[in-house]
Amino acid sequence: MSHELRTPLNSIIGFSELLQANRKTPLNEKQSKQVHQINSSGKHLLTLINDILDLAKIEAGKLSISLEPTLVDSVANETLEVLQPLADKSGISILVKANAQHIEAMADYTRLKQVLINLLSNAIKYNRQQGSVELSWEVVDQSVLVHVQDTGIGISDDQIDHIFEPLNRSNAENSGIEGTGVGLALTRKVVEYMNGTIDVKSDHTGSTFTVTLPLANCQVKSDSFTSGKVQNDQLNTDLASQSEKVVLYVEDNPANQRLMQDIFEDFESINLVVAHEPFLGLEMAKTHRPDLIILDINMPGMDGFQLLKRLKQEPSLEGTPCIALSANAMPNDVKRGI
Ligand code: ADP
């Protein structure tokens, strides 16, 4: 179900982004607004689907998480990097107060980031004009407490018991503020899955959400961390400096093939060859000897993992880098791919 829902959405989001970024035949103002609407609705739907599928997984006891010592500073930094643009756009300032540095909580890195993104984006969305948000963390006994405090409109006493229910948007339903009503339900379940708790206090001056997680360890190595942005910039520079390279893309879905062809059109020095099924992909890899292979995972006859195995057995392709590109990129799939 996950794959069936995400694949067409990837096309909707990907193609609308391409239309917006098209320099050769730019959209006029009206078209640009319409395409922007398609894109943001697609993203909204993807968030909702991801959250609901996660909830279903948790309820079935099948959410895969890996609990390990997780540096709260790093997760907080990454979260802020994601949300700073939203805060800037909304005119909300974010303050960070680390009452204890280099603290490790026993948590799943990606899931903790998801929790902080949910809480911080709510704190920004449901704030007042020129309001502020404070993200802070501290150690109390053997626990790490992460607080997200806002100067927003607050949550009334009769609503506060219901905000963690799925699809309950309390007073926000007709407020014009975008949301799905699933974020807090998922946040609480994820926190509990990591053996933690979440509490909220609110009055007319604002709300404070506190996540409590088990403390892992206070003595931590360096927190050297490379952000995704830096890696992407590096990738763009590398692509620009290459000449006459061949990329093989093995993908059975015509919409994804088209999307990739449109993307590669902007890189004149790269020749994209597409194989619409895995056995053909194997043959084309042998004849074209590509510099890079991009593999879909869900394909008829042979999946991406099996194809990768076959490619690795081919001596002429030794050392050829392969990237998996799939709508099924949940943490477990990524782990298996790596
Ligand atoms: P949504 O997608 O609607 O933001 P959530 O599950 O994250 O859904 O939150 C549920 C509801 O709780 C929101 O619709 C909003 O009414 C209320 N809420 C959540 N966070 C805050 C906050 N920081 N301040 C005020 N109200 C909030």
Side-chain angles (χ1 to χ4, degrees):
M1 182 178 164
S2 161
H3 185 248
E4 299 310 319
L5 290 170
R6 277 185 241 249
T7 304
L9 263 179
N10 272 352
S11 285
I12 292 170
I13 295 169
F15 276 114
S16 54
E17 269 165 16
L18 267 185
L19 283 171
Q20 283 175 317
N22 195 334
R23 277 170 286 153
K24 282 182 195 152
T25 42
L27 301 175
N28 67 32
E29 201 178 325
K30 187 173 169 201
Q31 291 167 328
S32 177
K33 272 191 197 148
Q34 291 167 336
V35 171
H36 176 79
Q37 188 61 44
I38 295 173
N39 185 264
S40 67
S41 300
K43 283 183 177 157
H44 181 82
L45 204 49
L46 188 61
T47 311
L48 182 61
I49 287 169
N50 283 341
D51 285 356
I52 287 180
L53 291 175
D54 272 352
L55 263 183
K57 267 196 195 158
I58 290 179
E59 261 146 35
K62 284 190 177 153
L63 187 79
S64 70
I65 56 165
S66 93
L67 292 178
E68 51 202 1
T70 300
L71 206 51
V72 179
D73 310 35
S74 286
V75 184
N77 278 341
E78 253 193 77
T79 306
L80 289 173
E81 218 168 86
V82 174
L83 289 177
Q84 195 61 54
L86 177 68
D88 292 344
K89 208 170 117 194
S90 319
I92 306 291
S93 52
I94 303 183
L95 303 158
V96 181
K97 222 159 119 189
N99 294 314
Q101 282 186 334
H102 300 309
I103 289 305
E104 284 184 322
M106 210 53 190
D108 178 294
Y109 194 97
T110 313
R111 294 293 172 185
L112 180 56
K113 187 172 151 193
Q114 179 183 17
V115 164
L116 293 191
I117 287 180
N118 271 338
L119 294 179
L120 270 171
S121 60
N122 278 351
I124 296 168
K125 281 193 314 187
Y126 300 109
N127 220 309
R128 287 171 221 273
Q129 279 192 343
Q130 312 296 323
S132 64
V133 176
E134 186 181 287
L135 170 66
S136 61
W137 54 96
E138 58 181 335
V139 173
V140 176
D141 299 327
Q142 286 305 300
S143 298
V144 178
L145 272 59
V146 183
H147 309 283
V148 178
Q149 187 177 2
D150 64 57
T151 56
I153 46 180
I155 305 158
S156 62
D157 289 346
D158 56 326
Q159 296 291 345
I160 206 156
D161 291 336
H162 302 291
I163 56 171
F164 292 102
E165 291 166 6
L167 299 171
N168 188 324
R169 296 208 63 211
S170 303
N171 295 331
E173 200 66 76
N174 302 313
S175 64
I177 303 172
E178 268 194 26
T180 58
V182 182
L184 280 182
L186 182 61
T187 298
R188 180 159 78 177
K189 297 257 183 187
V190 168
V191 169
E192 288 171 353
Y193 223 77
M194 297 192 291
N195 306 315
T197 55
I198 180 164
D199 295 305
V200 55
K201 286 196 180 71
S202 188
D203 61 29
H204 65 280
T205 60
S207 313
T208 305
F209 287 80
T210 299
V211 172
T212 305
L213 289 166
L215 177 70
N217 187 353
C218 284
Q219 301 301 314
V220 188
K221 309 127 255 150
S222 87
D223 57 346
S224 62
F225 161 72
T226 323
S227 77
K229 184 174 178 309
V230 175
Q231 288 168 2
N232 282 342
D233 287 351
Q234 185 63 44
L235 182 71
N236 287 339
T237 322
D238 289 352
L239 280 177
S241 64
Q242 287 172 359
S243 59
E244 287 306 314
K245 301 284 184 191
V246 175
V247 174
L248 170 67
Y249 181 36
V250 190
E251 164 67 83
D252 60 316
N253 182 318
N256 288 347
Q257 293 168 5
R258 185 81 222 129
L259 178 59
M260 192 62 87
Q261 280 159 343
D262 285 358
I263 290 171
F264 272 84
E265 238 179 50
D266 278 352
F267 298 98
E268 278 167 16
S269 57
I270 301 174
N271 181 16
L272 179 76
V273 288
V274 178
H276 67 272
E277 57 100 12
F279 294 96
L280 179 66
L282 189 58
E283 288 313 308
M284 285 173 77
K286 288 186 210 165
T287 38
H288 287 278
R289 305 263 190 90
D291 298 282
L292 173 75
I293 301 175
I294 304 176
L295 291 179
D296 180 28
I297 299 295
N298 292 290
M299 290 182 287
M302 170 159 53
D303 71 19
F305 292 109
Q306 292 165 317
L307 176 55
L308 180 66
K309 209 168 155 193
R310 299 277 289 269
L311 290 167
K312 284 194 162 181
Q313 287 164 351
E314 183 56 44
S316 64
L317 296 172
E318 202 187 326
T320 308
C322 291
I323 295 178
L325 185 66
S326 170
N328 266 21
M330 302 310 285
N332 237 8
D333 304 307
V334 175
K335 214 184 247 174
R336 187 175 167 210
I338 287 166

